[in-house]
Each structure stands twice: as structure tokens, then as C-alpha cells.
Amino acid sequence: MSVSSHPEIPLWVQNRIVGFFNQVRNVGMILDGSIKDDPADGPGRTISRPLAARILRERNQLERRRFTDLEQIDSIRGIGPNTIQDLVYSFGISADEAFLNAMYNSGTIYRENWPLEYFRYTLDDTEVFQGIANNREQLRKFIVDKVALVAREREVTEAARAAMLQELENAYIDDYHNSSPNATYAL
């Protein structure tokens, strides 16, 4: 991603916005409700059908048919400060919070019956992160070690902990590529 004309917007949020518009295949995917109206700027609408179509046209005229930064999206006629604010509001939620909301809002699980928790582990060293993220066995070991630690802290029985860790040892790891050095794994 190039230098941003929006230094007030965290780079990971910009990357999520750009990633969203790069992965949509049609206008309906833009209008599916992923983009919410930020209540802080008063009631209004987010992106209209004609603007969604214009965004796709602009993207498809680019080299490799992909946006490379938020500035390209911001320069599209009809995108203004309120639209950018709506995009930040919609995509500025961390991946772990988005996962929790998706699980609860979809009815997959009920908050009252099964409260979800997430545990965040930050690796400040990019090389260490890349080494773990790019090696399936190191990634698996990292996750197993962290889950084992939480299970011990929660005083999970030895048998239950062993079963959980065995499941993780055998779990399928799916590749997810993001344009930022942030990652979230939902287990």
C-alpha cells in the first residue's frame, strides 16, 4: 500500500477497506449490508447502487483490476468524507470482534448460552510473526501452546485439555492472505 492521504485512518483499516472492494465480484456484494452507516454523522445512506457500480467499473479499469490503496477509492466521484467515515465505521472493527459479532448476530450461537472469549497475543517482531505465520508446523505449535496455557489457567481437567490439544494437532489450517501484518485465528 502506498503512502495514504488519510494518515488518521489506521493502515490495517485501510487495508480491510481496499481488500473488501478487491474481493467483491458484483454490485450486490457491495450492497449486502457489510457497509454500515456511521451513526456519528447523522442518519443517511451508505453506498447507492449507481456508486457501487461506479466503484466496480473504476476498479476493473485498473492494472490487475485491483485497488492498491484507499486514495484510489476516495478519488471516485460520489465518494466523500461521509462515505469514507462509513467505511471506517464498517471495517474498523478488529477481526476478533468481527468474528464474535458474526457468531452472535448470525444466530450460530446465543450469547446467553455460550459467551465467547478471545485471547489476543501480540508479536511485535515482524520477523518472528512471519516465521510463525509462514510455517504451518510453527503456527500449529504456537496455537497449541497458547491454548494449553489458557486451559491450564482455566483449570480445565487434564483429560479435557488433552482432548482439546489433540483436536488442534489434527485440525486443518486454512490459508488466509491479508495485506497487513495482522492475523486472527478463530478456533
Side-chain angles (χ1 to χ4, degrees), residues 66-96:
R66 297 182 62 75
F67 293 114
T68 56
D69 57 48
L70 184 59
E71 178 63 27
Q72 291 173 313
I73 297 167
D74 193 15
S75 69
I76 296 171
R77 185 175 50 84
I79 300 279
N82 287 351
T83 304
I84 295 295
Q85 189 170 336
D86 290 343
L87 292 170
V88 170
Y89 176 77
S90 301
F91 296 102
I93 184 169
S94 66
D96 45 10

PDB file of all heavy atoms in Angstrom, residues 66-96:
ATOM      1  N   ARG A  66      -7.365  -4.256  -9.600  1.00  0.00           N
ATOM      2  CA  ARG A  66      -7.327  -4.222  -8.135  1.00  0.00           C
ATOM      3  C   ARG A  66      -6.942  -2.829  -7.661  1.00  0.00           C
ATOM      4  O   ARG A  66      -6.080  -2.189  -8.241  1.00  0.00           O
ATOM      5  CB  ARG A  66      -6.302  -5.222  -7.594  1.00  0.00           C
ATOM      6  CG  ARG A  66      -6.605  -6.660  -7.923  1.00  0.00           C
ATOM      7  CD  ARG A  66      -5.603  -7.609  -7.321  1.00  0.00           C
ATOM      8  NE  ARG A  66      -5.559  -7.594  -5.876  1.00  0.00           N
ATOM      9  CZ  ARG A  66      -6.456  -8.142  -5.060  1.00  0.00           C
ATOM     10  NH1 ARG A  66      -7.505  -8.730  -5.569  1.00  0.00           N
ATOM     11  NH2 ARG A  66      -6.309  -8.100  -3.754  1.00  0.00           N
ATOM     12  N   PHE A  67      -7.578  -2.394  -6.579  1.00  0.00           N
ATOM     13  CA  PHE A  67      -7.154  -1.170  -5.908  1.00  0.00           C
ATOM     14  C   PHE A  67      -5.882  -1.485  -5.135  1.00  0.00           C
ATOM     15  O   PHE A  67      -5.706  -2.596  -4.628  1.00  0.00           O
ATOM     16  CB  PHE A  67      -8.223  -0.683  -4.917  1.00  0.00           C
ATOM     17  CG  PHE A  67      -9.499  -0.219  -5.566  1.00  0.00           C
ATOM     18  CD1 PHE A  67     -10.683  -0.914  -5.374  1.00  0.00           C
ATOM     19  CD2 PHE A  67      -9.519   0.924  -6.349  1.00  0.00           C
ATOM     20  CE1 PHE A  67     -11.863  -0.483  -5.948  1.00  0.00           C
ATOM     21  CE2 PHE A  67     -10.704   1.367  -6.933  1.00  0.00           C
ATOM     22  CZ  PHE A  67     -11.880   0.659  -6.731  1.00  0.00           C
ATOM     23  N   THR A  68      -5.006  -0.511  -5.050  1.00  0.00           N
ATOM     24  CA  THR A  68      -3.794  -0.708  -4.257  1.00  0.00           C
ATOM     25  C   THR A  68      -3.792   0.144  -2.995  1.00  0.00           C
ATOM     26  O   THR A  68      -3.002  -0.116  -2.098  1.00  0.00           O
ATOM     27  CB  THR A  68      -2.525  -0.382  -5.078  1.00  0.00           C
ATOM     28  OG1 THR A  68      -2.631   0.951  -5.575  1.00  0.00           O
ATOM     29  CG2 THR A  68      -2.368  -1.376  -6.227  1.00  0.00           C
ATOM     30  N   ASP A  69      -4.657   1.167  -2.941  1.00  0.00           N
ATOM     31  CA  ASP A  69      -4.730   1.972  -1.725  1.00  0.00           C
ATOM     32  C   ASP A  69      -6.075   2.685  -1.629  1.00  0.00           C
ATOM     33  O   ASP A  69      -6.838   2.742  -2.592  1.00  0.00           O
ATOM     34  CB  ASP A  69      -3.566   2.961  -1.629  1.00  0.00           C
ATOM     35  CG  ASP A  69      -3.481   3.899  -2.819  1.00  0.00           C
ATOM     36  OD1 ASP A  69      -4.511   4.479  -3.207  1.00  0.00           O
ATOM     37  OD2 ASP A  69      -2.371   4.062  -3.352  1.00  0.00           O
ATOM     38  N   LEU A  70      -6.347   3.217  -0.466  1.00  0.00           N
ATOM     39  CA  LEU A  70      -7.613   3.887  -0.192  1.00  0.00           C
ATOM     40  C   LEU A  70      -7.783   5.139  -1.047  1.00  0.00           C
ATOM     41  O   LEU A  70      -8.906   5.505  -1.404  1.00  0.00           O
ATOM     42  CB  LEU A  70      -7.719   4.229   1.299  1.00  0.00           C
ATOM     43  CG  LEU A  70      -9.028   4.842   1.770  1.00  0.00           C
ATOM     44  CD1 LEU A  70     -10.207   3.913   1.490  1.00  0.00           C
ATOM     45  CD2 LEU A  70      -8.954   5.174   3.252  1.00  0.00           C
ATOM     46  N   GLU A  71      -6.704   5.794  -1.393  1.00  0.00           N
ATOM     47  CA  GLU A  71      -6.762   7.010  -2.211  1.00  0.00           C
ATOM     48  C   GLU A  71      -7.479   6.747  -3.534  1.00  0.00           C
ATOM     49  O   GLU A  71      -8.242   7.580  -4.007  1.00  0.00           O
ATOM     50  CB  GLU A  71      -5.344   7.543  -2.455  1.00  0.00           C
ATOM     51  CG  GLU A  71      -5.286   8.778  -3.322  1.00  0.00           C
ATOM     52  CD  GLU A  71      -5.998   9.974  -2.706  1.00  0.00           C
ATOM     53  OE1 GLU A  71      -6.097  10.053  -1.474  1.00  0.00           O
ATOM     54  OE2 GLU A  71      -6.470  10.828  -3.478  1.00  0.00           O
ATOM     55  N   GLN A  72      -7.247   5.585  -4.143  1.00  0.00           N
ATOM     56  CA  GLN A  72      -7.915   5.256  -5.398  1.00  0.00           C
ATOM     57  C   GLN A  72      -9.430   5.188  -5.215  1.00  0.00           C
ATOM     58  O   GLN A  72     -10.183   5.622  -6.079  1.00  0.00           O
ATOM     59  CB  GLN A  72      -7.397   3.924  -5.943  1.00  0.00           C
ATOM     60  CG  GLN A  72      -5.970   3.990  -6.416  1.00  0.00           C
ATOM     61  CD  GLN A  72      -5.448   2.621  -6.778  1.00  0.00           C
ATOM     62  OE1 GLN A  72      -5.620   1.659  -6.022  1.00  0.00           O
ATOM     63  NE2 GLN A  72      -4.810   2.529  -7.940  1.00  0.00           N
ATOM     64  N   ILE A  73      -9.857   4.642  -4.109  1.00  0.00           N
ATOM     65  CA  ILE A  73     -11.295   4.556  -3.827  1.00  0.00           C
ATOM     66  C   ILE A  73     -11.837   5.946  -3.519  1.00  0.00           C
ATOM     67  O   ILE A  73     -12.896   6.342  -4.021  1.00  0.00           O
ATOM     68  CB  ILE A  73     -11.557   3.568  -2.667  1.00  0.00           C
ATOM     69  CG1 ILE A  73     -11.102   2.166  -3.068  1.00  0.00           C
ATOM     70  CG2 ILE A  73     -13.032   3.590  -2.258  1.00  0.00           C
ATOM     71  CD1 ILE A  73     -11.007   1.183  -1.932  1.00  0.00           C
ATOM     72  N   ASP A  74     -11.105   6.698  -2.717  1.00  0.00           N
ATOM     73  CA  ASP A  74     -11.538   8.038  -2.319  1.00  0.00           C
ATOM     74  C   ASP A  74     -11.672   8.975  -3.519  1.00  0.00           C
ATOM     75  O   ASP A  74     -12.467   9.911  -3.498  1.00  0.00           O
ATOM     76  CB  ASP A  74     -10.555   8.607  -1.296  1.00  0.00           C
ATOM     77  CG  ASP A  74     -11.068   9.850  -0.597  1.00  0.00           C
ATOM     78  OD1 ASP A  74     -12.282  10.133  -0.664  1.00  0.00           O
ATOM     79  OD2 ASP A  74     -10.257  10.556   0.026  1.00  0.00           O
ATOM     80  N   SER A  75     -10.921   8.733  -4.574  1.00  0.00           N
ATOM     81  CA  SER A  75     -10.953   9.622  -5.738  1.00  0.00           C
ATOM     82  C   SER A  75     -12.139   9.352  -6.667  1.00  0.00           C
ATOM     83  O   SER A  75     -12.349  10.103  -7.623  1.00  0.00           O
ATOM     84  CB  SER A  75      -9.638   9.521  -6.515  1.00  0.00           C
ATOM     85  OG  SER A  75      -9.534   8.252  -7.125  1.00  0.00           O
ATOM     86  N   ILE A  76     -12.909   8.328  -6.416  1.00  0.00           N
ATOM     87  CA  ILE A  76     -14.062   8.004  -7.262  1.00  0.00           C
ATOM     88  C   ILE A  76     -15.174   9.013  -7.012  1.00  0.00           C
ATOM     89  O   ILE A  76     -15.501   9.316  -5.854  1.00  0.00           O
ATOM     90  CB  ILE A  76     -14.547   6.561  -6.988  1.00  0.00           C
ATOM     91  CG1 ILE A  76     -13.452   5.565  -7.377  1.00  0.00           C
ATOM     92  CG2 ILE A  76     -15.847   6.265  -7.730  1.00  0.00           C
ATOM     93  CD1 ILE A  76     -13.728   4.143  -6.957  1.00  0.00           C
ATOM     94  N   ARG A  77     -15.752   9.540  -8.097  1.00  0.00           N
ATOM     95  CA  ARG A  77     -16.843  10.504  -7.984  1.00  0.00           C
ATOM     96  C   ARG A  77     -17.976   9.890  -7.166  1.00  0.00           C
ATOM     97  O   ARG A  77     -18.402   8.771  -7.418  1.00  0.00           O
ATOM     98  CB  ARG A  77     -17.346  10.888  -9.375  1.00  0.00           C
ATOM     99  CG  ARG A  77     -18.397  11.980  -9.374  1.00  0.00           C
ATOM    100  CD  ARG A  77     -18.777  12.411 -10.776  1.00  0.00           C
ATOM    101  NE  ARG A  77     -19.109  11.325 -11.674  1.00  0.00           N
ATOM    102  CZ  ARG A  77     -20.317  10.757 -11.748  1.00  0.00           C
ATOM    103  NH1 ARG A  77     -21.286  11.168 -10.989  1.00  0.00           N
ATOM    104  NH2 ARG A  77     -20.529   9.765 -12.599  1.00  0.00           N
ATOM    105  N   GLY A  78     -18.421  10.618  -6.151  1.00  0.00           N
ATOM    106  CA  GLY A  78     -19.504  10.144  -5.284  1.00  0.00           C
ATOM    107  C   GLY A  78     -19.016   9.650  -3.937  1.00  0.00           C
ATOM    108  O   GLY A  78     -19.796   9.494  -3.009  1.00  0.00           O
ATOM    109  N   ILE A  79     -17.713   9.388  -3.837  1.00  0.00           N
ATOM    110  CA  ILE A  79     -17.133   9.005  -2.548  1.00  0.00           C
ATOM    111  C   ILE A  79     -16.715  10.303  -1.866  1.00  0.00           C
ATOM    112  O   ILE A  79     -15.913  11.055  -2.399  1.00  0.00           O
ATOM    113  CB  ILE A  79     -15.897   8.099  -2.705  1.00  0.00           C
ATOM    114  CG1 ILE A  79     -16.230   6.818  -3.437  1.00  0.00           C
ATOM    115  CG2 ILE A  79     -15.245   7.826  -1.354  1.00  0.00           C
ATOM    116  CD1 ILE A  79     -16.858   5.735  -2.622  1.00  0.00           C
ATOM    117  N   GLY A  80     -17.279  10.565  -0.723  1.00  0.00           N
ATOM    118  CA  GLY A  80     -16.936  11.774   0.005  1.00  0.00           C
ATOM    119  C   GLY A  80     -16.546  11.441   1.427  1.00  0.00           C
ATOM    120  O   GLY A  80     -16.439  10.263   1.800  1.00  0.00           O
ATOM    121  N   PRO A  81     -16.367  12.461   2.248  1.00  0.00           N
ATOM    122  CA  PRO A  81     -15.954  12.236   3.635  1.00  0.00           C
ATOM    123  C   PRO A  81     -16.926  11.343   4.414  1.00  0.00           C
ATOM    124  O   PRO A  81     -16.487  10.516   5.209  1.00  0.00           O
ATOM    125  CB  PRO A  81     -15.907  13.639   4.242  1.00  0.00           C
ATOM    126  CG  PRO A  81     -15.796  14.567   3.081  1.00  0.00           C
ATOM    127  CD  PRO A  81     -16.460  13.890   1.926  1.00  0.00           C
ATOM    128  N   ASN A  82     -18.226  11.486   4.186  1.00  0.00           N
ATOM    129  CA  ASN A  82     -19.188  10.643   4.913  1.00  0.00           C
ATOM    130  C   ASN A  82     -19.092   9.185   4.486  1.00  0.00           C
ATOM    131  O   ASN A  82     -19.235   8.281   5.310  1.00  0.00           O
ATOM    132  CB  ASN A  82     -20.617  11.157   4.724  1.00  0.00           C
ATOM    133  CG  ASN A  82     -20.877  12.429   5.510  1.00  0.00           C
ATOM    134  OD1 ASN A  82     -20.060  12.843   6.334  1.00  0.00           O
ATOM    135  ND2 ASN A  82     -22.002  13.060   5.252  1.00  0.00           N
ATOM    136  N   THR A  83     -18.842   8.943   3.200  1.00  0.00           N
ATOM    137  CA  THR A  83     -18.681   7.560   2.739  1.00  0.00           C
ATOM    138  C   THR A  83     -17.427   6.949   3.344  1.00  0.00           C
ATOM    139  O   THR A  83     -17.446   5.803   3.807  1.00  0.00           O
ATOM    140  CB  THR A  83     -18.619   7.499   1.205  1.00  0.00           C
ATOM    141  OG1 THR A  83     -19.792   8.117   0.665  1.00  0.00           O
ATOM    142  CG2 THR A  83     -18.539   6.064   0.717  1.00  0.00           C
ATOM    143  N   ILE A  84     -16.336   7.717   3.354  1.00  0.00           N
ATOM    144  CA  ILE A  84     -15.095   7.223   3.971  1.00  0.00           C
ATOM    145  C   ILE A  84     -15.346   6.933   5.448  1.00  0.00           C
ATOM    146  O   ILE A  84     -14.922   5.896   5.978  1.00  0.00           O
ATOM    147  CB  ILE A  84     -13.936   8.225   3.779  1.00  0.00           C
ATOM    148  CG1 ILE A  84     -13.569   8.359   2.299  1.00  0.00           C
ATOM    149  CG2 ILE A  84     -12.724   7.827   4.619  1.00  0.00           C
ATOM    150  CD1 ILE A  84     -13.011   7.096   1.656  1.00  0.00           C
ATOM    151  N   GLN A  85     -16.073   7.810   6.119  1.00  0.00           N
ATOM    152  CA  GLN A  85     -16.388   7.600   7.539  1.00  0.00           C
ATOM    153  C   GLN A  85     -17.213   6.330   7.722  1.00  0.00           C
ATOM    154  O   GLN A  85     -16.990   5.560   8.655  1.00  0.00           O
ATOM    155  CB  GLN A  85     -17.125   8.817   8.100  1.00  0.00           C
ATOM    156  CG  GLN A  85     -17.289   8.780   9.605  1.00  0.00           C
ATOM    157  CD  GLN A  85     -17.811  10.104  10.165  1.00  0.00           C
ATOM    158  OE1 GLN A  85     -17.641  11.159   9.555  1.00  0.00           O
ATOM    159  NE2 GLN A  85     -18.434  10.024  11.308  1.00  0.00           N
ATOM    160  N   ASP A  86     -18.174   6.084   6.824  1.00  0.00           N
ATOM    161  CA  ASP A  86     -18.974   4.853   6.890  1.00  0.00           C
ATOM    162  C   ASP A  86     -18.094   3.622   6.676  1.00  0.00           C
ATOM    163  O   ASP A  86     -18.276   2.595   7.345  1.00  0.00           O
ATOM    164  CB  ASP A  86     -20.092   4.870   5.845  1.00  0.00           C
ATOM    165  CG  ASP A  86     -21.188   5.873   6.149  1.00  0.00           C
ATOM    166  OD1 ASP A  86     -21.280   6.337   7.308  1.00  0.00           O
ATOM    167  OD2 ASP A  86     -21.960   6.194   5.219  1.00  0.00           O
ATOM    168  N   LEU A  87     -17.135   3.712   5.757  1.00  0.00           N
ATOM    169  CA  LEU A  87     -16.235   2.580   5.504  1.00  0.00           C
ATOM    170  C   LEU A  87     -15.353   2.301   6.723  1.00  0.00           C
ATOM    171  O   LEU A  87     -15.159   1.139   7.106  1.00  0.00           O
ATOM    172  CB  LEU A  87     -15.373   2.849   4.267  1.00  0.00           C
ATOM    173  CG  LEU A  87     -16.127   2.882   2.938  1.00  0.00           C
ATOM    174  CD1 LEU A  87     -15.237   3.394   1.815  1.00  0.00           C
ATOM    175  CD2 LEU A  87     -16.693   1.513   2.600  1.00  0.00           C
ATOM    176  N   VAL A  88     -14.843   3.348   7.337  1.00  0.00           N
ATOM    177  CA  VAL A  88     -14.018   3.180   8.544  1.00  0.00           C
ATOM    178  C   VAL A  88     -14.867   2.581   9.660  1.00  0.00           C
ATOM    179  O   VAL A  88     -14.433   1.666  10.369  1.00  0.00           O
ATOM    180  CB  VAL A  88     -13.378   4.514   8.975  1.00  0.00           C
ATOM    181  CG1 VAL A  88     -12.728   4.396  10.351  1.00  0.00           C
ATOM    182  CG2 VAL A  88     -12.357   4.973   7.943  1.00  0.00           C
ATOM    183  N   TYR A  89     -16.084   3.057   9.806  1.00  0.00           N
ATOM    184  CA  TYR A  89     -17.004   2.528  10.828  1.00  0.00           C
ATOM    185  C   TYR A  89     -17.268   1.039  10.582  1.00  0.00           C
ATOM    186  O   TYR A  89     -17.293   0.245  11.517  1.00  0.00           O
ATOM    187  CB  TYR A  89     -18.308   3.325  10.790  1.00  0.00           C
ATOM    188  CG  TYR A  89     -19.379   2.820  11.717  1.00  0.00           C
ATOM    189  CD1 TYR A  89     -19.319   3.078  13.084  1.00  0.00           C
ATOM    190  CD2 TYR A  89     -20.466   2.103  11.233  1.00  0.00           C
ATOM    191  CE1 TYR A  89     -20.306   2.625  13.942  1.00  0.00           C
ATOM    192  CE2 TYR A  89     -21.461   1.649  12.083  1.00  0.00           C
ATOM    193  CZ  TYR A  89     -21.373   1.910  13.428  1.00  0.00           C
ATOM    194  OH  TYR A  89     -22.351   1.457  14.280  1.00  0.00           O
ATOM    195  N   SER A  90     -17.434   0.668   9.329  1.00  0.00           N
ATOM    196  CA  SER A  90     -17.770  -0.715   8.984  1.00  0.00           C
ATOM    197  C   SER A  90     -16.591  -1.665   9.079  1.00  0.00           C
ATOM    198  O   SER A  90     -16.745  -2.814   9.492  1.00  0.00           O
ATOM    199  CB  SER A  90     -18.338  -0.771   7.563  1.00  0.00           C
ATOM    200  OG  SER A  90     -19.483   0.030   7.460  1.00  0.00           O
ATOM    201  N   PHE A  91     -15.422  -1.207   8.672  1.00  0.00           N
ATOM    202  CA  PHE A  91     -14.267  -2.097   8.599  1.00  0.00           C
ATOM    203  C   PHE A  91     -13.228  -1.822   9.677  1.00  0.00           C
ATOM    204  O   PHE A  91     -12.191  -2.466   9.718  1.00  0.00           O
ATOM    205  CB  PHE A  91     -13.622  -2.023   7.208  1.00  0.00           C
ATOM    206  CG  PHE A  91     -14.544  -2.520   6.139  1.00  0.00           C
ATOM    207  CD1 PHE A  91     -15.224  -1.626   5.335  1.00  0.00           C
ATOM    208  CD2 PHE A  91     -14.754  -3.875   5.954  1.00  0.00           C
ATOM    209  CE1 PHE A  91     -16.107  -2.066   4.358  1.00  0.00           C
ATOM    210  CE2 PHE A  91     -15.627  -4.332   4.990  1.00  0.00           C
ATOM    211  CZ  PHE A  91     -16.301  -3.422   4.180  1.00  0.00           C
ATOM    212  N   GLY A  92     -13.502  -0.883  10.567  1.00  0.00           N
ATOM    213  CA  GLY A  92     -12.563  -0.526  11.614  1.00  0.00           C
ATOM    214  C   GLY A  92     -12.695  -1.366  12.867  1.00  0.00           C
ATOM    215  O   GLY A  92     -12.093  -1.063  13.880  1.00  0.00           O
ATOM    216  N   ILE A  93     -13.472  -2.424  12.791  1.00  0.00           N
ATOM    217  CA  ILE A  93     -13.613  -3.330  13.927  1.00  0.00           C
ATOM    218  C   ILE A  93     -12.560  -4.432  13.772  1.00  0.00           C
ATOM    219  O   ILE A  93     -12.328  -4.908  12.664  1.00  0.00           O
ATOM    220  CB  ILE A  93     -15.038  -3.895  14.001  1.00  0.00           C
ATOM    221  CG1 ILE A  93     -15.224  -4.757  15.235  1.00  0.00           C
ATOM    222  CG2 ILE A  93     -15.411  -4.651  12.760  1.00  0.00           C
ATOM    223  CD1 ILE A  93     -16.667  -5.125  15.511  1.00  0.00           C
ATOM    224  N   SER A  94     -11.914  -4.784  14.855  1.00  0.00           N
ATOM    225  CA  SER A  94     -10.855  -5.789  14.774  1.00  0.00           C
ATOM    226  C   SER A  94     -11.438  -7.134  14.354  1.00  0.00           C
ATOM    227  O   SER A  94     -12.629  -7.408  14.525  1.00  0.00           O
ATOM    228  CB  SER A  94     -10.141  -5.923  16.122  1.00  0.00           C
ATOM    229  OG  SER A  94     -11.040  -6.437  17.091  1.00  0.00           O
ATOM    230  N   ALA A  95     -10.598  -7.971  13.785  1.00  0.00           N
ATOM    231  CA  ALA A  95     -11.051  -9.269  13.279  1.00  0.00           C
ATOM    232  C   ALA A  95     -11.656 -10.127  14.380  1.00  0.00           C
ATOM    233  O   ALA A  95     -12.638 -10.832  14.165  1.00  0.00           O
ATOM    234  CB  ALA A  95      -9.895 -10.000  12.604  1.00  0.00           C
ATOM    235  N   ASP A  96     -11.100 -10.057  15.597  1.00  0.00           N
ATOM    236  CA  ASP A  96     -11.647 -10.876  16.674  1.00  0.00           C
ATOM    237  C   ASP A  96     -13.046 -10.396  17.068  1.00  0.00           C
ATOM    238  O   ASP A  96     -13.956 -11.199  17.280  1.00  0.00           O
ATOM    239  CB  ASP A  96     -10.706 -10.944  17.880  1.00  0.00           C
ATOM    240  CG  ASP A  96     -10.125  -9.600  18.281  1.00  0.00           C
ATOM    241  OD1 ASP A  96     -10.574  -8.554  17.773  1.00  0.00           O
ATOM    242  OD2 ASP A  96      -9.204  -9.586  19.103  1.00  0.00           O
TER     243      ASP A  96
END
